[in-house]
Amino acid sequence: MYRDIVDFALTTPGWLHTLAEVGTDAGLFLFVALFAAAAFRAWRAPARDLALVIAGPAGVVFAYVVSEVVKTVVREQRPCRGGITTISACPPAGDWSFPSNHSVIAAGAAATLVLAWRALAWVALPLAALMAFSRVFVGVHYPHDVAAGFLLGLVLAPLFALLVVGAVTPAVRLARR
């Protein structure tokens, strides 16, 4: 499946290559903007709503740290190391493939945003899926790297956010006084 996707990607127009390469990182900034919008929306809402927005990025960081630990244990080589022509340059040796950190971050951000503001689901979840797929499209991850990363982010980030929201809510109340 990896080869099929990468081979197809190479037949697409150059502008799509650029969009996929830039979009895989730029999408992370879109999530920052969505968190800012959610915080603005929750600013005058009940304290727990703002606490969920604040806890969301903490959940994403937690999921990212877990994925980094998994990467160092699994140590899977990137698929682009096998002499395959890809859109993106292959990351340096020692930058492991499994799981995809971009997928962890994108899915974690989307899931925690949906916790804080359900109406964002229609934009956050497809954006996360597109960002995750782009990692295979540009050739730097296998599909299972992306799927595992997506699942890690989707589960761990909102779980962590829900675990810490009880501690963050009193801090929000205190800061509002």
Side-chain angles (χ1 to χ4, degrees):
M1 184 187 318
Y2 169 79
R3 285 300 297 254
D4 292 336
I5 294 169
V6 170
D7 288 346
F8 168 74
L10 291 172
T11 68
T12 60
W15 64 264
L16 188 56
H17 297 186
T18 302
L19 182 64
E21 275 194 283
V22 171
T24 195
D25 290 325
L28 299 176
F29 292 106
L30 288 175
F31 279 116
V32 170
L34 289 172
F35 272 111
F40 181 77
R41 177 183 173 271
W43 193 254
R44 298 206 185 274
R48 186 175 189 280
D49 292 359
L50 184 55
L52 266 175
V53 175
I54 293 167
V60 174
V61 169
F62 173 74
Y64 171 81
V65 169
V66 170
S67 76
E68 277 297 306
V69 170
V70 172
K71 272 184 185 270
T72 59
V73 170
V74 174
R75 300 171 62 107
E76 178 185 71
Q77 289 291 335
R78 297 237 179 209
C80 47
R81 295 219 193 296
I84 297 168
T85 303
T86 59
I87 291 173
S88 271
C90 201
D95 187 349
W96 308 111
S97 190
F98 182 89
S100 163
N101 285 339
H102 279 80
S103 297
V104 169
I105 293 167
T112 56
L113 277 165
V114 170
L115 270 181
W117 189 2
R118 282 184 176 68
L120 287 179
W122 71 271
V123 69
L125 293 170
L127 176 61
L130 186 60
M131 286 178 58
F133 174 74
S134 76
R135 302 305 289 163
V136 179
F137 187 84
V138 300
V140 296
H141 280 289
Y142 291 110
H144 67 270
D145 300 336
V146 167
F150 203 86
L151 187 60
L152 270 175
L154 202 60
V155 171
L156 293 181
L159 181 61
F160 184 86
L162 288 172
L163 287 173
V164 301
V165 74
V168 177
T169 302
V172 168
R173 283 191 191 110
L174 185 63
R176 285 181 168 173
R177 287 187 202 161

